Amino acid sequence: MQTMTDEQLLEIYRQGNRAGFGLLVDRYQRELFHFLVRFLGDRSTAEDVFQETFLQVHQSAGQFDPERRFRPWLFTIAANKARDLMRSQARRPTNPLQAAISPGDEEGGQFIDLMESVAAGPGENLEKEELQRMVQATVMNMPDHLREILLLSYFHQFPYKQIGDILGIPLGTVKSRLHAAVAHFADRWRALQENKSRR
Amino acid sequence: MLKLNHDDGRALDMLLELRAAGKSPTDPQNGGRDLDVLPEHLKTRLLHVQRVMGLLDAMPAEDPSSDLVARTIQLLERQEQLQPAAAWPFALTTEPLADFRPQA
């Protein structure tokens, strides 16, 4: 059973064998948890949403379209659960830039040039732990919808079309939002480096 | 709102497309050759974008608790006890998980 595809395991579960479900949970425990902990920023919350996600998988397994791929469906559920939680917690923006950006606000804006905004050798001359801390701070301070798409594309390597399916947005919006996410990350990183060099 | 210029945007799209396909622009055996058809300025952009994005590799990711899988299965079993079988779209076997043992 270990070599079965996700879709085969889900089908086994739909036919009444629990082992399929357990193997899916085990197979995705690291990857899905990593997405949630990086998105939500809190370990305990990430574990709660992880469990809620698989509970939803269980509840919705009967309606899963066997023509679909399981992995993007799983992440769709997880991302929805995570966003629902953040909305219910009514998180406030932590900085003015975050307050100014919201989904759908991809029109207009200022262009940046990555080759100019980030100096050659980014990350060099930084201790590993300091680099980790700074990168984490930069990502966690991004607007939620930009951080989300950055995680899905870079860390989880979903193709643009699947990201569109997961987030329920058109392909053009995937691209523009992703570009905005990288521009935001690069700009914040540059600002952090400049601040650091002034000390 | 900040936006990437056209060349950086193209370079980013290419980089992420390669990554989604399991390739790398710096691996000559797997993805690197895809760059051969690009104009030089775009190749340079792509390699720079890759270095910027590479910063994200430093982002830590904690691993889940060792009992997360077991707790998730237990949650499901508790849910089944709370809701009768008729509520589910299919009937689950009541036999033990013969083929699966959660990691301790």
Side-chain angles (χ1 to χ4, degrees):
Chain A
M1 283 182 98
Q2 295 282 359
T3 57
M4 291 179 125
T5 66
D6 297 343
E7 294 74 25
Q8 287 170 333
L9 287 175
L10 190 66
E11 184 56 31
I12 285 172
Y13 182 56
R14 282 154 56 102
Q15 290 171 12
N17 187 332
R18 285 176 206 246
F21 185 84
L23 280 171
L24 282 171
V25 179
D26 187 60
R27 188 175 283 183
Y28 278 99
Q29 61 168 319
R30 264 189 112 229
E31 185 187 9
L32 188 63
F33 181 78
H34 283 169
F35 168 69
L36 290 170
V37 78
R38 282 170 170 154
F39 187 30
L40 294 164
D42 177 74
R43 181 190 180 82
S44 170
T45 310
E47 291 199 347
D48 288 345
V49 175
F50 179 95
Q51 292 189 295
E52 286 174 28
T53 297
F54 274 100
L55 191 57
Q56 185 69 57
V57 166
H58 160 71
Q59 291 169 341
S60 302
Q63 291 92 48
F64 177 74
D65 178 356
E67 298 298 309
R68 291 180 72 173
R69 299 295 303 276
F70 175 79
R71 184 172 173 256
W73 182 62
L74 177 68
F75 273 77
T76 301
I77 295 172
N80 286 341
K81 294 280 181 195
R83 269 184 260 114
D84 287 347
L85 179 68
M86 288 195 284
R87 270 194 293 269
S88 71
Q89 290 176 341
R91 283 176 54 180
R92 292 181 188 165
T94 56
N95 59 59
L97 186 62
Q98 191 169 16
I101 298 172
S102 60
D105 193 22
E106 274 92 30
E107 295 304 319
Q110 174 192 346
F111 286 100
I112 71 166
D113 182 320
L114 283 184
M115 290 185 77
E116 291 174 8
S117 68
V118 181
E124 291 171 6
N125 304 320
L126 285 175
E127 297 287 340
K128 181 184 170 186
E129 283 176 6
E130 187 181 10
L131 178 62
Q132 285 181 336
R133 187 185 54 75
M134 288 173 66
V135 170
Q136 182 164 29
T138 307
V139 173
M140 291 314 300
N141 279 320
M142 290 173 70
D144 295 340
H145 71 298
L146 297 186
R147 181 170 67 259
E148 180 182 40
I149 201 167
L150 192 64
L151 298 177
L152 289 172
S153 65
Y154 188 77
F155 289 103
H156 300 282
Q157 298 174 16
F158 282 102
Y160 282 15
K161 186 184 178 312
Q162 284 185 358
I163 293 175
D165 293 339
I166 291 169
L167 300 181
I169 57 178
L171 188 60
T173 306
V174 172
K175 278 193 184 181
S176 60
R177 191 177 293 183
L178 203 36
H179 292 186
V182 173
H184 186 277
F185 174 81
D187 184 69
R188 292 296 91 201
W189 180 258
R190 177 187 56 78
L192 207 58
Q193 294 278 72
E194 284 177 358
N195 257 351
K196 185 175 175 300
S197 65
R198 280 194 208 112
R199 288 182 196 158
Chain B
M1 191 187 74
L2 295 170
K3 299 163 77 166
L4 295 182
N5 64 43
H6 180 69
D7 282 346
D8 281 342
R10 282 182 67 195
L12 177 67
D13 292 339
M14 286 197 63
L15 174 66
L16 294 177
E17 189 178 312
L18 282 170
R19 283 176 63 86
K23 297 180 182 181
S24 165
T26 51
D27 183 349
Q29 305 301 323
N30 187 22
R33 295 244 174 103
D34 293 21
L35 271 59
D36 290 348
V37 299
L38 294 181
E40 210 53 46
H41 75 279
L42 204 51
K43 270 191 227 178
T44 307
R45 288 272 168 183
L46 195 151
L47 292 173
H48 189 84
V49 167
Q50 186 184 28
R51 290 177 74 191
V52 172
M53 298 299 284
L55 284 168
L56 293 171
D57 293 333
M59 185 159 181
E62 302 172 61
D63 278 339
S65 305
S66 57
D67 65 345
L68 179 60
V69 174
R71 282 190 285 122
T72 303
I73 304 292
Q74 285 163 12
L75 177 67
L76 171 65
E77 289 170 351
R78 276 201 302 276
Q79 192 72 18
E80 286 173 2
Q81 288 166 8
L82 288 172
Q83 293 186 337
W88 303 116
F90 46 85
L92 287 169
T93 176
T94 55
E95 292 178 2
L97 295 171
D99 296 318
F100 174 72
R101 292 290 179 268
Q103 298 294 324

